[in-house]
Amino acid sequence: MTGPGRLTGPGRRRATRAVVALPVTVVARGLVRLPPARLRQVLDAAAAGTRPAGYQQTLAAMEAVTAVSRTCRDPSGCLPRAVATALLCRVLGRWPTWRTGVRTAGSFAAHAWVEADGLAVGESFPPDAYQPVITVRSRPRQRDGERDAVGSR
């Protein structure tokens, strides 16, 4: 039932993202203090049972977290921004590909980013600028009788 003041469709999704973005950024800022292996475990658990997030959904999540967090907006805030974006997508039922990596040419630099539909979201670097070191992808729920690639070998 709809009426005055009730949001539906895209308006409701935008409002949900805006309300949830701030607490998600707080959680992300705590998670980025974990050692890399532990952070990967936490994000792997969060990605379990999800379908891939699309580019527009992931971009909207990134815009929401950067709108509410100075840390995520900052150019050096790539890790909390990528974690918060992935978590916000998760709250909304999807998961982008979350990555950390190192620069492939020039001086050493590490970076964290999210991808959707095979593209880096909200990034200006060329596709081969960073070599991924850690990747966390969506992992849809398995149906009864199905095996994952590892279990079938």
Side-chain angles (χ1 to χ4, degrees):
M1 181 174 208
T2 62
R6 301 223 35 203
L7 294 174
T8 61
R12 184 174 184 181
R13 284 190 293 275
R14 274 192 302 277
T16 300
R17 276 192 298 268
V19 168
V20 177
L22 184 58
V24 164
T25 61
V26 172
V27 170
R29 286 191 354 224
L31 289 176
V32 301
R33 293 185 176 121
L34 295 173
R38 183 70 180 130
L39 176 59
R40 180 185 194 159
Q41 288 175 333
V42 170
L43 295 180
D44 251 342
T50 61
R51 293 188 326 204
Y55 187 90
Q56 289 302 320
Q57 179 184 26
T58 305
L59 181 61
M62 181 178 286
E63 289 170 347
V65 300
T66 57
V68 299
S69 170
R70 188 176 318 150
T71 300
C72 291
R73 243 187 336 269
D74 190 275
S76 66
C78 63
L79 183 57
R81 179 174 53 250
V83 170
T85 299
L87 292 176
L88 183 53
C89 285
R90 178 59 176 110
V91 167
L92 299 170
R94 299 295 178 114
W95 187 264
T97 299
W98 179 89
R99 295 184 187 257
T100 60
V102 294
R103 189 179 299 159
T104 57
S107 60
F108 175 83
H111 189 54
W113 68 98
V114 290
E115 296 177 0
D117 299 331
L119 302 168
V121 177
E123 300 287 350
S124 59
F125 60 81
D128 59 350
Y130 290 90
Q131 173 65 44
V133 175
I134 301 174
T135 298
V136 178
R137 291 186 172 87
S138 68
R139 292 193 339 263
R141 216 175 288 281
Q142 300 291 318
R143 294 183 195 157
D144 290 339
E146 285 186 351
R147 295 176 136 178
D148 62 18
V150 175
S152 64
R153 289 183 187 166

